[in-house]
Amino acid sequence: MPNELKNILIMKPSALGDIVLALPALAALRKSFPKAKISWLVKPEFAPLLENHPYLDEIILFDRKHLSKALSNTKAFGSLHSLVAQLRKSKFDAIFDFQGLFRTAFMAWLSGCKKRYGIANAREFAHLFYTDKIEHNLDCIHLVDLYLKMVHASGAKSEKAEFLIPSNQTDIDSVNKLLESHNIEPQKYVVLIPGSAQESKCWPAERFAQLADKISEQYNYPVIAIGSKSERTKAEVINNLSKTEIINLAGQTSLKELVELLRMAKLVVSNDTGPGHIASALGVPIVIMYSWSNPARIAPYGRNECMVARDPFTRGMEIKSNNPEHNISKITVDEVFQKASEQLK
């Protein structure tokens, strides 16, 4: 094939949920170009999600916090210089910038790669650094469809969106041991994800507590709350408001252990946040709640029955909404419980 790609770089350093949404594009590239070397530029904290991925050959770490000090810190400047040198030495024949920001687009240009795919209306003038500009329009509102459209422009093909998140026995054993310490059986527990990087995406704690009570009363499953260390307090608040004991595992798992904890869940109820998108990609029963973020862009792909949102498909191309009716507080406990019950059945 004259257009056969041999050395490919995916640029998607963050955030966790967006990395998950880019996995089908990785699958399409691997299946279309089986002999190609495929690398992924990612932030160190999210790299474990991609470790030992069967479709990836290389993970390139992008420590943005450290590299952003390059103009004032000699060590950071050296790290940035080394990263750019590594990209140039790699001689990529195609780069896909799924991040769509100045820093990734500029680095793609600095790499010397001749084919740089990016979003035509990317922010921060990033589009100026792309050779192939892909329109983000009504035929690809969802980010999964947008990323697939970008790789299709290079000649890749895909019959369906494939989400593959690797698993390993060490993490499975670790999670089983953690569950056993709380007398919980795999596949017989419900997970709540009450946190998010943005507080405006967080459903009120008292509603999570009420939901936990209804699920416990109706289905008699133990309820676990997960999240980062900083979200342990939020989980404790829910526990204090609930009649049901909420087992607080926030901050007690690595990212790869978190994946296995979600993979074994009977049901996951989540705010719009990274771990929720992981659960969705794993195919487990899930309910995700959306507020000002446009659900048409990031909802569980092909699983509309798994979301709760106001006007989910009538917001057009907008990323964020200022409509007060889209506030997370507008979502009721009964709505979420109904969706949860549908998933459990």
Side-chain angles (χ1 to χ4, degrees):
M1 289 179 60
N3 296 324
E4 184 81 19
L5 298 181
K6 297 178 181 178
N7 196 0
I8 301 166
L9 175 63
I10 292 171
M11 287 184 154
K12 191 57 184 166
S14 64
L16 183 58
D18 291 344
I19 291 170
V20 172
L21 296 179
L23 290 174
L26 167 63
L29 287 169
R30 172 51 69 209
K31 292 184 175 181
S32 301
F33 308 112
K35 297 180 181 178
K37 177 184 178 183
I38 304 180
S39 306
W40 193 310
L41 184 86
V42 66
K43 292 175 73 172
E45 58 265 40
F46 304 132
L49 188 73
L50 301 172
E51 285 177 2
N52 302 312
H53 199 292
Y55 296 162
L56 263 185
D57 297 289
E58 179 184 35
I59 294 173
I60 300 174
L61 298 181
F62 178 68
D63 190 346
R64 187 175 78 96
K65 190 175 290 187
H66 174 60
L67 296 176
S68 65
K69 302 173 184 175
L71 294 178
S72 59
N73 183 288
T74 304
K75 193 171 182 180
F77 180 82
S79 298
L80 179 60
H81 182 272
S82 296
L83 177 57
V84 172
Q86 179 184 357
L87 296 180
R88 293 187 69 84
K89 186 178 179 181
S90 295
K91 298 187 183 301
F92 296 108
D93 49 31
I95 292 179
F96 298 90
D97 180 15
F98 295 148
Q99 198 74 9
L101 296 175
F102 173 82
R103 56 182 171 269
T104 46
F106 185 56
M107 290 185 67
W109 178 77
L110 286 176
S111 75
C113 178
K114 302 301 182 185
K115 296 289 284 183
R116 303 182 298 277
Y117 296 83
I119 306 167
N121 60 342
R123 293 172 289 167
E124 302 177 355
F125 301 102
H127 63 280
L128 298 176
F129 298 97
Y130 303 138
T131 60
D132 294 71
K133 301 174 178 64
I134 311 304
E135 294 289 339
H136 190 189
N137 47 33
L138 291 174
D139 72 348
C140 58
I141 293 178
H142 201 289
L143 291 184
V144 169
D145 291 323
L146 173 62
Y147 299 152
L148 285 173
K149 185 178 180 181
M150 290 171 69
V151 299
H152 291 166
S154 73
K157 293 179 172 57
S158 59
E159 294 181 2
K160 64 177 183 176
E162 179 188 355
F163 294 89
L164 195 160
I165 300 177
S167 179
N168 71 75
Q169 196 59 47
T170 300
D171 296 314
I172 294 171
D173 292 343
S174 179
V175 170
N176 279 329
K177 187 176 180 180
L178 180 62
L179 292 172
E180 188 179 354
S181 70
H182 292 280
N183 298 313
I184 297 174
E185 295 181 58
Q187 280 84 45
K188 292 185 178 180
Y189 57 89
V190 171
V191 172
L192 304 182
I193 308 178
S196 177
Q198 300 175 59
E199 190 62 32
S200 60
K201 291 183 177 183
C202 293
W203 203 39
E206 61 271 17
R207 296 190 195 177
F208 269 111
Q210 292 165 22
L211 178 69
D213 289 340
K214 287 173 77 75
I215 289 174
S216 180
E217 289 167 11
Q218 182 78 25
Y219 298 101
N220 200 32
Y221 288 123
V223 180
I224 294 171
I226 65 166
S228 63
K229 286 182 181 178
S230 62
E231 291 164 343
R232 279 192 65 79
T233 302
K234 188 181 289 285
E236 276 305 313
V237 169
I238 294 170
N239 185 43
N240 292 336
L241 292 170
S242 174
K243 302 174 201 170
T244 305
E245 181 189 3
I246 309 294
I247 298 159
N248 188 353
L249 297 184
Q252 294 192 34
T253 60
S254 66
L255 179 53
K256 291 199 285 188
E257 289 168 343
L258 180 65
V259 168
E260 300 311 322
L261 186 66
L262 293 168
R263 204 191 300 266
M264 296 182 201
K266 186 72 176 178
L267 170 76
V268 176
V269 180
S270 177
N271 293 319
D272 170 21
T273 187
H277 291 287
I278 290 174
S280 173
L282 293 171
V284 302
I286 186 169
V287 181
I288 301 186
M289 295 168 283
Y290 294 89
S291 56
W292 51 262
S293 294
N294 187 345
R297 299 177 76 253
I298 54 174
Y301 191 75
R303 304 177 69 194
N304 293 341
E305 72 280 3
C306 297
M307 70 167 167
V308 180
R310 297 287 179 268
D311 310 316
F313 301 113
T314 58
R315 302 189 195 181
M317 295 294 299
E318 68 179 15
I319 296 175
K320 299 179 181 180
S321 169
N322 294 318
N323 186 340
E325 288 303 309
H326 297 159
N327 191 291
I328 195 74
S329 64
K330 296 293 182 178
I331 294 174
T332 68
V333 173
D334 286 342
E335 283 180 283
V336 180
F337 180 68
Q338 180 180 342
K339 287 285 185 179
S341 295
E342 291 169 3
Q343 296 298 307
L344 287 170
K345 290 173 183 175

